[in-house]
Amino acid sequence: MIRSLSTYLYTRRRFRLALLLALPVGWLVVVYGGSLGSLLLNSFFKIDSFSGTIDRSPTLETWRQVFTDANMAVAGRTIGMATAVTIASVLIGFPLAYRIARYTSGRTKTALVLAVLIPLWSSYLVRVYAWKLLLASEGVAAWAFNIVGASSVLNWILALPIVGGPSLSTSSLGQFIVFTYIWLPYMVLPMQAAVERLPESLLEASADLGASPATTFRQITWPLILPGVAAGSIFTFSLTLGDYIIPTIIGDSSPFIGLAIYSQQGVAGNLPLAAALAIIPVMVMGLYLTGARKLGAFEAL
Amino acid sequence: MKARAPRSLTALATAALMYLHLPILFVFLYAFTTEDAAFTFPPPGLTTRWFGVAAQNQDIRQALALSLMVAAVATATALILGTLAAGAVWRTKFFGRETLSLFIVLPIALPGIITGIALRSAISVTGISFSFWTLVIGHATFCVAVAYNNVIARMRRLNPNLLEASADLGASGWQTFRYVLIPQLGSAIVTGGMLAFALSFDEIIVTTFTAGNQQTLPIWIFSSLVRPRNRPVTNVVALLVIAITFVPIILSQRFAARTENQ
């Protein structure tokens, strides 16, 4: 029975393919793709202001509510944070990626790559929470500043406009530190892969021809690892753009796109507006991916 | 032998690694603090009593059971879908192949909130009520990518001569599948499953949008953080989540390393 069935499948390639594809396509393309479609559809519905129920006749009313100054300010803030986090991830991640790729091998390399990889898989929420303990006004960071006698420096930073706040855990600076901490591994791994592919001979040739390390970096290293950086930035940028957990736990509760979507959906029960707001990060990411593709990010993934 | 790294490079790299790993250690420490209202450092005293309190808490026990169930069912579903998709994409070209690969990675490449709200609006349009199963649907959707990536990577490294040799030696298609293909892919499927389980167990964003009034362990932690209560118990639960996700991750890496060496 099984034997004749397997022979049948082996000879009927199209039928076999259909059998393999039915479930994954049904789930991902039909259910998930359909869900993304329904997101777009919902953004053309509106909430009935009297009954609070969803009015399913097509309207642009909800979209009109998206393009208000307040929402655009939220979008600008979020994109600003995503940009800052991406830049910081490059600056902090590069030495680590370079050190792993060029100066380690064998077991050490495996262990270090694993050390960067583990935070990607483990306990996103708990890792955010850990910073609540660190950044609280009575917490570890304030204690450390005090021990080295730099409490006045901390107070000076907290008094700054925009980045400051009552304590590190309720400031934009704290938010920025946590965002960078959470998404940093996404930048390090593709960067490290890009440095691995960097031909040693080019670096040596550059040095032999009298280039300073800075020139070599600018002329050789950076252009060649740029696709890896672009690949990493897709994640650091996109994930910051949509996150609402970090701004809820850390920061001064000033809104981000993710937070606005979450509260429209949850507290306000306005699914159409939440859906329309969710299209903003999708559109921004669409533009971003087009740019990243030009830099060769997709080959570096 | 590689050259020695410049000191300053090593220092910066070490600092980055500490940035990635030190914070989580404080969760361990605070699970033992005697203080129950603030995060004073250093903790005024150490105790193990919060572990007992957490173990007695019915909400936590139910949330833990729910999280484990959702992760198990979603992982199993994702493994089936991911392995089938990998099987189709491997060595076959068909119309829409690239589109399928895109749809597989999309749920983890897009921010969780997009996947979450998309599923929520679809569920709302179809009128299905939110339940254990809507949670499983949400989790399985983003776990497929992990299962698929692990299996397809192994398939690409698989020596096609093995399958041909098996056929030449007279094995039926089923025997080749059972005695050649499955043993070769087995460890990749297990690795993918463990990572998918870890990913699902502590997921919060898609969970929030696909849950009705179900409370998974991450949702319990999140609501305790938003309305500060049970602080020391939250620390203990956080520790539990780290432990439960860490075990499959480490096991999967050891597993992958062992197969690699064979």
Side-chain angles (χ1 to χ4, degrees):
Chain A
M1 229 303 261
I2 287 174
R3 201 190 164 98
S4 59
L5 186 69
S6 66
T7 313
Y8 181 84
L9 286 177
Y10 186 76
T11 48
R12 307 268 186 316
R13 297 192 51 160
R14 293 179 72 91
F15 181 67
R16 187 182 56 182
L17 188 64
L19 218 56
L20 283 171
L21 280 175
L23 278 173
V25 168
W27 190 295
L28 287 160
V29 180
V30 180
V31 175
Y32 183 64
S35 299
L36 291 173
S38 85
L39 184 66
L40 196 60
L41 183 70
N42 256 290
S43 73
F44 292 103
F45 297 157
K46 71 171 165 88
I47 202 95
D48 189 301
S49 49
F50 292 109
S51 59
T53 53
I54 295 169
D55 174 4
R56 293 206 169 129
S57 43
T59 169
L60 285 174
E61 183 57 37
T62 303
W63 276 101
R64 215 163 288 139
Q65 289 173 41
V66 169
F67 292 103
T68 58
D69 288 350
N71 281 335
M72 289 301 104
V74 172
R77 231 182 99 81
T78 313
I79 293 170
M81 180 61 90
T83 311
V85 168
T86 300
I87 293 170
S89 300
V90 176
L91 294 178
I92 300 171
F94 178 76
L96 182 56
Y98 198 82
R99 178 72 172 75
I100 295 176
R102 303 245 320 143
Y103 297 103
T104 57
S105 54
R107 292 179 84 98
T108 326
K109 178 170 284 185
T110 315
L112 285 173
V113 170
L114 192 58
V116 179
L117 200 61
I118 284 175
L120 280 190
W121 297 108
S122 71
S123 324
Y124 157 78
L125 181 62
V126 175
R127 292 171 66 234
V128 177
Y129 173 60
W131 282 93
K132 189 96 186 158
L133 306 173
L134 292 173
L135 298 180
S137 54
E138 73 277 14
V140 183
W143 173 83
F145 271 102
N146 190 27
I147 284 290
V148 298
S151 290
S152 54
V153 178
L154 179 62
N155 290 331
W156 179 79
I157 294 171
L158 289 176
L160 290 175
I162 304 171
V163 298
S167 74
L168 276 173
S169 78
T170 51
S171 68
S172 302
L173 179 64
Q175 248 169 9
F176 165 75
I177 293 173
V178 180
F179 268 124
T180 310
Y181 162 78
I182 293 286
W183 309 131
L184 180 62
Y186 285 95
M187 182 61 87
V188 176
L189 292 170
M191 255 188 180
Q192 181 240 334
V195 179
E196 299 275 1
R197 286 191 296 265
L198 200 66
E200 182 110 33
S201 53
L202 284 184
L203 301 176
E204 283 166 5
S206 172
D208 289 348
L209 293 169
S212 68
T215 311
T216 304
F217 178 80
R218 218 174 45 243
Q219 302 280 346
I220 313 280
T221 312
W222 181 252
L224 286 175
I225 65 164
L226 196 56
V229 176
S233 76
I234 294 174
F235 291 97
T236 55
F237 195 81
S238 154
L239 295 171
T240 309
L241 218 50
D243 191 89
Y244 70 87
I245 300 291
I246 295 171
T248 311
I249 297 178
I250 309 281
D252 52 4
S253 67
S254 54
F256 278 75
I257 299 180
L259 207 55
I261 299 170
Y262 174 65
S263 57
Q264 282 303 332
Q265 191 286 128
V267 184
N270 191 341
L271 188 57
L273 185 54
L277 285 169
I279 309 284
I280 299 180
V282 175
M283 287 191 306
V284 174
M285 275 322 289
L287 287 175
Y288 196 89
L289 288 175
T290 318
R293 182 175 214 143
K294 288 214 178 88
L295 292 173
F298 293 155
E299 286 71 44
L301 276 177
Chain B
M1 190 55 216
K2 299 248 176 183
R4 280 181 73 89
R7 278 240 177 92
S8 54
L9 183 68
T10 305
L12 287 173
T14 312
L17 269 183
M18 283 167 67
Y19 178 42
L20 280 179
H21 289 280
L22 281 188
I24 208 83
L25 297 181
F26 289 94
V27 176
F28 283 79
L29 176 67
Y30 276 90
F32 297 96
T33 183
T34 48
E35 195 180 37
D36 61 1
F39 301 125
T40 310
F41 186 84
L46 298 175
T47 171
T48 52
R49 66 177 280 247
W50 307 117
F51 286 83
V53 177
Q56 296 299 317
N57 186 315
Q58 276 306 314
D59 285 352
I60 295 175
R61 292 165 73 131
Q62 279 170 9
L64 174 64
L66 179 65
S67 282
L68 290 172
M69 276 295 285
V70 170
V73 180
T75 301
T77 314
L79 281 178
I80 295 171
L81 293 171
T83 309
L84 286 173
V89 168
W90 182 50
R91 302 211 297 173
T92 323
K93 290 222 169 2
F94 54 89
F95 176 75
R97 187 170 178 255
E98 300 304 310
T99 316
L100 179 64
S101 322
L102 176 71
F103 269 101
I104 290 170
V105 295
L106 213 50
I108 51 169
L110 284 177
I113 198 163
I114 308 291
T115 301
I117 194 125
L119 288 171
R120 187 162 194 104
S121 65
I123 294 166
S124 140
V125 167
T126 51
I128 303 168
S129 59
F130 293 92
S131 66
F132 172 77
W133 293 106
T134 51
L135 277 175
V136 169
I137 290 173
H139 281 219
T141 303
F142 64 77
C143 284
V144 173
V146 183
Y148 169 84
N149 278 340
N150 272 280
V151 176
I152 194 85
R154 178 65 51 81
M155 282 175 165
R156 287 191 175 129
R157 274 183 298 164
L158 192 70
N159 186 347
N161 294 342
L162 284 177
L163 302 183
E164 279 164 22
S166 168
D168 287 349
L169 293 169
S172 68
W174 166 253
Q175 285 171 322
T176 303
F177 177 76
R178 169 69 187 78
Y179 295 106
V180 181
L181 196 57
I182 288 294
Q184 288 286 320
L185 296 182
S187 66
I189 295 175
V190 174
T191 309
M194 289 190 216
L195 292 175
F197 187 92
L199 209 56
S200 162
F201 184 78
D202 67 20
E203 210 285 338
I204 170 109
I205 299 182
V206 175
T207 314
T208 306
F209 285 93
T210 49
N213 49 16
Q214 289 78 17
Q215 206 174 36
T216 64
L217 212 50
I219 292 189
W220 184 89
I221 297 181
F222 188 60
S223 63
S224 313
L225 292 180
V226 176
R227 291 179 295 276
R229 57 188 164 103
N230 305 329
R231 267 191 180 161
V233 181
T234 311
N235 294 330
V236 172
V237 177
L239 197 57
L240 181 70
V241 172
I242 298 175
I244 293 180
T245 52
F246 200 67
V247 172
I249 294 165
I250 290 300
L251 280 180
S252 72
Q253 295 302 326
R254 303 206 76 155
F255 217 74
R258 215 176 54 199
T259 350
E260 208 111 305
N261 292 336
Q262 273 171 6

